[in-house]
């Protein structure tokens, strides 16, 4: 008889009950850490989206700065 069987006196029944949730948690963590998991795909997509948004924000800021400078210069010319 294998030492891990349910009828084995080496493992008391209360220990088996406490091992079940632990094994479920370990299996969940294993599935979560897998490269192809949906959670990892979403995290990867969000990271890519964050990079794109930050790059777009820098471009928009540069355009705004240029327009703002033009407005100030034009306003200065018209005021004189």
């Amino acid at each position: 008889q294998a030492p891990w069987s349910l009828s084995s006196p080496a493992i008391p029944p209360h220990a088996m009950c406490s091992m079940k949730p632990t094994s479920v948690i370990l299996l969940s963590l294993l599935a979560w850490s897998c490269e192809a998991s949906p959670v990892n795909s979403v995290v990867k997509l969000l990271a890519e989206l964050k990079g794109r948004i930050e790059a777009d924000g820098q471009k928009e800021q540069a355009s705004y700065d240029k327009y703002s400078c033009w407005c100030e210069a034009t306003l200065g010319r018209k005021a004189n």
Side-chain angles (χ1 to χ4, degrees), residues 24-41:
V24 169
I25 292 171
L26 288 175
L27 287 175
S28 298
L29 288 174
L30 180 63
W32 178 73
S33 67
C34 186
E35 282 295 321
S37 82
V39 173
N40 285 342
S41 298

Side-chain angles (χ1 to χ4, degrees), residues 3-6 10-27:
W4 58 84
S5 70
L6 292 175
I11 301 176
H14 62 81
M16 290 301 292
C17 291
S18 66
M19 286 180 11
K20 288 179 185 177
T22 305
S23 62
V24 169
I25 292 171
L26 288 175
L27 287 175

Side-chain angles (χ1 to χ4, degrees), residues 1 7-8 12 24 29 34-35 41 45 60 62 66 79:
Q1 211 174 31
S7 61
S8 172
V24 169
L29 288 174
C34 186
E35 282 295 321
S41 298
L45 289 173
E60 290 291 328
K66 184 178 177 181

Side-chain angles (χ1 to χ4, degrees), residues 56-71:
D56 287 347
Q58 290 173 352
K59 290 177 187 175
E60 290 291 328
Q61 185 64 46
S63 295
Y64 175 80
D65 291 344
K66 184 178 177 181
Y67 178 71
S68 176
C69 184
W70 177 83
C71 288

